[in-house]
Amino acid sequence: MIKLPPWVTQEENYQPNRDRDYFISRSLLRVMTVLLAIRQQAEHSALRHISACSALCFLFFWLLFCVTAHTSAFLLCELALTLVLLCLLPGRLVWPAVQASLAAACFSLLLILPAALIGSGPLVLLLPLKTFLSVAALSILRAILPWNELTSALRRFHVPQTVIFLLDTTLRYIILLGEIARDMLIALKLRSIGKNQHKQRAAGGVLGTMFLRSKEMSETMYEAMICRGFTGEYLPGREQSFRPGDSLLLLLILLYLYLFLRLEAIL
């Protein structure tokens, strides 16, 4: 009978020092939030009765009216429609849009606060409201318009093909690199045993690996584009037929054009 050494039979009771992993947890949560938002936006399209081109045209006129307005009455009319559109969004999309709009409005208010205190006129106080309306309109469009329909609509507006290519590839690689960052952060969290006094090294390792992977993926994509004969030309998207919601957007544009001309005392 073989007798085991005493150190083998002793029970180990290893208690690692507790350490805070806020950096890993918050980074992982942020990456997962971005990936979830992009995937949900690509899967669910709220523009079933409205074409993407009509939505972009409405957004252009909306921002044009908002920027050039000089009276609070017209901005309140735009605010009313903004609140109605926010109420029509799904509940999970309302708070991010409102949060981003309020944050931008508060930041704008801080910037103009010195000018308001020295008496620069009442028009300065309209800037936070304009900021809120502009950011809210962009957030609503981002919530209801998938990225693929956005790039297709931009090509129909004769946007330079380089801009569309950069936008399209950036959005695609945000998802791919985000999934790699998620896996690396999960692995780092599982392997973080004990107390780590050098958290910046872990962050540097994740960022360095992400940089190398992005470089490899860009080279692979470039070689694949050459093999497939891609010339850098984006063909216009398929013709989109007139949808029932397009007439509603046209009526809203004409209505707000009339309100703009009347409330701004142009007519």
Side-chain angles (χ1 to χ4, degrees), residues 109-197:
L109 180 61
L110 291 177
L111 290 179
I112 67 157
L113 192 58
L117 293 178
I118 63 176
S120 298
L123 293 180
V124 180
L125 299 177
L126 298 179
L127 291 178
L129 181 56
K130 291 184 177 182
T131 304
F132 177 84
L133 294 173
S134 301
V135 177
L138 293 174
S139 301
I140 293 173
L141 183 68
R142 183 182 63 85
I144 64 177
L145 183 63
W147 293 112
N148 58 337
E149 294 186 11
L150 175 62
T151 54
S152 177
L154 289 178
R155 185 65 188 95
R156 297 187 59 82
F157 284 103
H158 302 285
V159 175
Q161 299 178 4
T162 305
V163 177
I164 301 177
F165 174 76
L166 292 177
L167 178 62
D168 196 14
T169 53
T170 300
L171 294 174
R172 293 177 185 273
Y173 275 90
I174 283 177
I175 299 178
L176 295 177
L177 294 176
E179 292 177 349
I180 296 175
R182 177 198 60 192
D183 297 338
M184 292 182 61
L185 290 174
I186 292 176
L188 179 62
K189 188 177 180 63
L190 295 176
R191 289 172 173 81
S192 296
I193 301 176
K195 193 170 185 178
N196 182 14
Q197 298 290 348

Side-chain angles (χ1 to χ4, degrees), residues 37-162:
I38 295 178
R39 290 189 179 278
Q40 287 180 346
Q41 186 187 31
E43 294 174 358
H44 301 88
S45 176
L47 294 182
R48 297 177 181 178
H49 304 290
I50 301 174
S51 63
C53 295
S54 300
L56 288 178
C57 289
F58 181 78
L59 178 65
F60 172 76
F61 285 103
W62 178 273
L63 296 178
L64 180 62
F65 294 154
C66 180
V67 171
T68 56
H70 293 83
T71 60
S72 59
F74 179 78
L75 294 178
L76 290 177
C77 294
E78 286 196 337
L79 179 61
L81 182 59
T82 302
L83 296 178
V84 171
L85 294 177
L86 288 174
C87 293
L88 296 177
L89 290 179
R92 58 182 175 82
L93 301 177
V94 175
W95 173 240
V98 174
Q99 186 179 17
S101 303
L102 289 177
C106 292
F107 182 73
S108 176
L109 180 61
L110 291 177
L111 290 179
I112 67 157
L113 192 58
L117 293 178
I118 63 176
S120 298
L123 293 180
V124 180
L125 299 177
L126 298 179
L127 291 178
L129 181 56
K130 291 184 177 182
T131 304
F132 177 84
L133 294 173
S134 301
V135 177
L138 293 174
S139 301
I140 293 173
L141 183 68
R142 183 182 63 85
I144 64 177
L145 183 63
W147 293 112
N148 58 337
E149 294 186 11
L150 175 62
T151 54
S152 177
L154 289 178
R155 185 65 188 95
R156 297 187 59 82
F157 284 103
H158 302 285
V159 175
Q161 299 178 4
T162 305

